[in-house]
């Protein structure tokens, strides 16, 4: 009869039958094969593989039986220790849980013919407490580790108790011996007895003169040391007399200081001799230059100064997408042509002219060479443009000179040629594309 085709009801029925438990008499323990009917089991017994397995069994039957018996006992006792510990349970219940596994060790492959014999074996080896009832054999697991632990605790308790009793008996023997010698007198407790009007007087011992003298001597020594420290702190250190060479050096230093003071006074007089109009022009010029050279300027507040998006048209960026175009655009530069939603940019690659659309996550700013045009894209100087002056490699920052932006719309900076700004991080500046 041919096999059922895959997916047919007959095939599904055979699979369901094969997945469940079958009759134990049609199971071959040596081959670990379950047959569904008597004919199948007969065919299996006549097969070449079964014949070879039986030849091995005939050569060493005792070894195979002992191994199967040990595995069955271990599986049974594992359930008793974990699931039914400290529980009196019917042996047949535990056996049903053992045979739930399809490939369990069958009892007909062990040295025990019936479950009753196996239960009696557990009772004889003191592995379980057994009890025969009309319902069947009941078993209860014996935890030998817990028994050994309790036995050890009991032994320690007895040792401590015996030591305490021996100590008490020894003390009692000493007391009896003292009583026999008459050296032991039992204390008698009587109430306080005093006559009418009698007062109880308490006396304190007077301090010896010798000890008082010692204390006074120590106090005097402490006071002397204290006064000595105070006198040393108030005393000024004596100045050492200068040698001839040192005196000449000090005199020359004083002459140089006086000469410097004379020059400064002359320049001060000359500056006062200038006309008032010229001084005003110089002051205005100095104020303007100081404002332009200051690196601590604060630009007008930008509404997007704290934003994390930095893409804008006209800047040169670097693509960092490793898989786009099989990696051919990785670390290639392009010009931002337009911005879509603040976080997406449309690029025109400088090499090849390809048009790409990338997210800000896959873009990096580009630092131009010294003197190149830059644009501030992040931070409080956002929106200003200028040129790169210097790079500080240690602090990963740059010094730039800004010449356009919101700051130069103010009245006092309209005529300024440039404002130097230091400490701008690399991420805050980006190269501007030069139009050809």
């Amino acid at each position: 009869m041919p096999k059922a085709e895959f997916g047919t009801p007959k095939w599904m029925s055979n699979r369901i039958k094969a997945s469940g438990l079958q009759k134990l008499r049609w199971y071959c323990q040596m081959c670990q094969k379950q047959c569904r009917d008597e004919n199948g089991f007969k065919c299996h017994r006549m097969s070449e593989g079964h014949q070879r397995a039986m030849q091995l069994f005939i050569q060493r039957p005792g070894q195979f039986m002992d191994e199967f018996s040990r595995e069955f006992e271990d599986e049974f006792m594992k359930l008793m220790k974990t699931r039914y510990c400290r529980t009196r349970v019917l042996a047949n219940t535990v056996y049903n849980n053992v045979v739930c596994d399809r490939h369990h060790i069958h009892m007909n492959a062990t040295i025990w013919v019936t479950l009753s014999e196996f239960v009696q074996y557990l009772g004889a080896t003191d592995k379980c407490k057994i009890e025969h009832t009309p319902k069947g054999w009941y078993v209860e697991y014996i935890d030998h580790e817990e028994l050994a632990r309790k036995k050890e605790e009991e032994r320690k308790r007895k040792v401590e108790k015996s030591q305490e009793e021996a100590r008490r008996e020894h003390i009692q023997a000493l007391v009896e011996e003292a009583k026999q010698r008459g050296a032991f007198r039992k204390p008698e407790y009587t109430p306080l007895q005093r006559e009418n009007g009698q007062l109880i007087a308490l006396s304190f011992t007077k301090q010896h003169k010798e000890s008082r003298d010692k204390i006074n001597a120590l106090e005097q020594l402490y006071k002397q040391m204290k006064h000595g420290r105070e006198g040393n702190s108030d005393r000024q250190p004596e100045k050492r007399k200068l040698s001839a060479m040192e005196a000449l050096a000090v005199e020359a230093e004083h002459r140089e200081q006086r000469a410097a003071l004379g020059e400064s006074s002359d320049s001060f007089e000359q500056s006062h001799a200038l006309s008032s109009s010229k001084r005003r022009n110089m002051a205005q010029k100095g104020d303007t230059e100081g404002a332009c050279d200051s690196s601590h300027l604060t630009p007008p507040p930008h509404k997007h100064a704290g934003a994390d998006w930095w893409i804008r048209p006209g800047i040169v960026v670097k693509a960092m997408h490793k898989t786009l175009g099989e990696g051919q655009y990785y670390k290639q530069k392009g010009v931002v042509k337009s911005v879509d939603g603040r976080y997406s940019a449309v690029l025109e690659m400088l090499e090849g002219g390809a048009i790409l659309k990338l997210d800000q996550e896959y873009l990096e700013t580009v630092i131009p060479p010294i003197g190149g045009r830059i644009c501030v894209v992040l931070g409080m100087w956002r929106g200003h443009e200028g040129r790169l002056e210097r790079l500080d490699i240690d602090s990963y920052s740059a010094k730039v000179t800004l010449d356009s932006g919101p700051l130069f719309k103010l009245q006092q900076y309209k005529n300024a040629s440039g404002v130097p700004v230091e400490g701008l991080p690399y991420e805050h500046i980006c190269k501007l594309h030069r139009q050809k």
Side-chain angles (χ1 to χ4, degrees):
M1 183 177 179
K3 289 186 177 181
E5 295 183 3
F6 178 80
T8 60
K10 184 64 176 176
W11 174 85
M12 189 175 297
S13 176
N14 293 339
R15 288 295 301 270
I16 293 173
K17 291 178 182 179
S19 62
L21 294 175
Q22 306 293 324
K23 291 186 178 182
L24 298 182
R25 62 179 179 176
W26 295 333
Y27 183 84
C28 178
Q29 186 64 57
M30 286 296 298
C31 303
Q32 295 184 358
K33 180 176 177 60
Q34 176 70 57
C35 300
R36 288 203 297 269
D37 52 15
E38 187 175 358
N39 185 33
F41 188 64
K42 180 181 178 181
C43 294
H44 170 70
R45 284 188 293 133
M46 296 175 63
S47 63
E48 184 179 355
H50 179 75
Q51 295 295 331
R52 286 197 301 267
M54 293 308 297
Q55 289 293 332
L56 294 175
F57 179 79
I58 292 172
Q59 293 176 6
R60 295 173 295 174
Q63 181 179 355
F64 282 101
M65 294 288 287
D66 292 341
E67 184 177 355
F68 291 149
S69 301
R70 180 180 55 80
E71 292 180 4
F72 179 80
E73 181 184 354
D74 292 344
E75 192 172 355
F76 191 92
M77 294 304 297
K78 183 179 179 181
L79 276 177
M80 289 295 299
K81 183 178 180 180
T82 56
R83 188 178 300 182
Y84 301 107
C85 185
R86 301 185 183 89
T87 304
R88 181 173 173 269
V89 64
L90 197 62
N92 196 29
T93 303
V94 184
Y95 178 73
N96 290 336
N97 290 326
V98 172
V99 300
C100 283
D101 185 11
R102 183 183 178 188
H103 296 290
H104 70 279
I105 303 298
H106 291 68
M107 181 166 283
N108 55 8
T110 64
I111 59 176
W112 305 288
V113 180
T114 61
L115 181 61
S116 300
E117 292 183 9
F118 177 67
V119 172
Q120 292 175 11
Y121 160 78
L122 294 179
T125 54
D126 200 21
K127 295 181 179 179
C128 291
K129 295 179 182 179
I130 62 174
E131 182 183 357
H132 183 63
T133 63
K135 292 184 179 181
W137 287 95
Y138 277 87
V139 292
E140 183 179 355
Y141 179 72
I142 299 176
D143 192 353
H144 291 280
E145 295 179 358
E146 185 178 359
L147 293 177
R149 186 167 55 253
K150 290 182 178 179
K151 188 176 181 180
E152 182 66 20
E153 292 177 357
E154 186 67 22
R155 187 188 65 81
K156 290 181 179 179
R157 193 180 301 109
K158 287 182 179 180
V159 170
E160 293 176 357
K161 185 177 180 180
S162 61
Q163 292 177 354
E164 184 66 25
E165 290 179 354
R167 191 181 302 109
R168 191 180 298 110
E169 291 177 357
H170 179 65
I171 295 173
Q172 188 65 26
L174 293 177
V175 171
E176 294 295 336
E177 185 180 355
K179 285 182 179 180
Q180 292 177 2
R181 292 199 310 265
F184 179 78
R185 181 179 298 175
K186 190 175 182 179
E188 296 180 0
Y189 301 98
T190 59
L192 180 63
Q193 298 177 359
R194 61 177 180 173
E195 298 178 358
N196 296 332
Q198 185 180 4
L199 299 177
I200 299 176
L202 300 176
S203 62
F204 297 94
T205 58
K206 192 175 182 180
Q207 190 177 17
H208 295 287
K209 183 178 180 181
E210 183 179 358
S211 61
R212 186 168 62 253
D213 294 341
K214 289 183 179 179
I215 295 175
N216 293 337
L218 292 174
E219 290 179 355
Q220 292 176 3
L221 180 61
Y222 172 73
K223 290 179 180 179
Q224 290 177 3
M225 294 176 65
K226 185 176 180 181
H227 289 309
R229 286 195 300 268
E230 292 177 355
N232 292 335
S233 61
D234 296 338
R235 190 181 305 165
Q236 296 292 337
E238 297 181 358
K239 292 185 178 180
R240 183 176 61 85
K241 188 176 181 181
L242 299 177
S243 62
M245 294 296 295
E246 292 175 345
L248 291 175
V250 171
E251 186 178 356
E253 185 177 359
H254 288 334
R255 281 200 303 270
E256 292 177 358
Q257 292 178 357
R258 286 195 298 270
L261 291 174
E263 292 177 359
S264 62
S265 61
D266 294 341
S267 61
F268 179 74
E269 292 175 358
Q270 291 176 4
S271 63
H272 271 278
L274 295 174
S275 62
S276 60
S277 60
K278 191 173 182 179
R279 285 202 304 271
R280 281 197 303 271
N281 293 335
M282 290 178 65
Q284 292 177 0
K285 184 178 180 181
D287 293 341
T288 306
E289 291 178 354
C292 294
D293 293 340
S294 176
S295 60
H296 300 285
L297 293 175
T298 302
H302 198 285
K303 62 179 180 179
H304 300 304
D308 60 342
W309 49 270
W310 52 270
I311 306 174
R312 54 160 285 181
I315 60 175
V316 180
V317 295
K318 186 184 294 184
M320 302 302 294
H321 203 297
K322 295 183 179 180
T323 59
L324 182 64
E326 297 181 356
Q328 62 175 338
Y329 299 112
Y330 182 59
K331 291 189 177 180
Q332 297 296 321
K333 297 178 183 178
V335 182
V336 178
K337 291 298 182 181
S338 62
V339 180
D340 184 9
R342 294 182 176 178
Y343 289 96
S344 297
V346 178
L347 307 180
E348 181 182 355
M349 306 307 293
L350 297 180
E351 295 183 4
I355 304 297
L356 305 178
K357 185 176 182 180
L358 289 175
D359 191 82
Q360 176 180 290
E361 182 181 356
Y362 300 103
L363 299 176
E364 281 188 0
T365 58
V366 175
I367 305 298
I370 302 299
R373 297 291 298 173
I374 59 96
C375 174
V376 184
V377 294
L378 285 174
M380 64 179 182
W381 291 99
R382 188 187 193 115
H384 290 78
E385 297 180 2
R387 64 180 181 275
L388 180 64
E389 300 292 344
R390 186 179 70 251
L391 294 176
D392 190 353
I393 301 177
D394 295 334
S395 61
Y396 298 98
S397 60
K399 178 183 178 181
V400 299
T401 300
L402 304 179
D403 51 18
S404 65
L407 179 68
F408 297 92
K409 295 180 181 179
L410 301 178
Q411 183 65 30
Q412 60 268 33
Y413 294 102
K414 281 187 176 181
N415 299 326
S417 59
V419 175
V421 177
E422 295 184 3
L424 287 178
Y426 289 168
E427 298 82 6
H428 287 198
I429 61 175
C430 189
K431 179 181 178 181
L432 278 173
H433 181 59
R434 183 173 56 184
Q435 300 291 339
K436 294 182 180 180

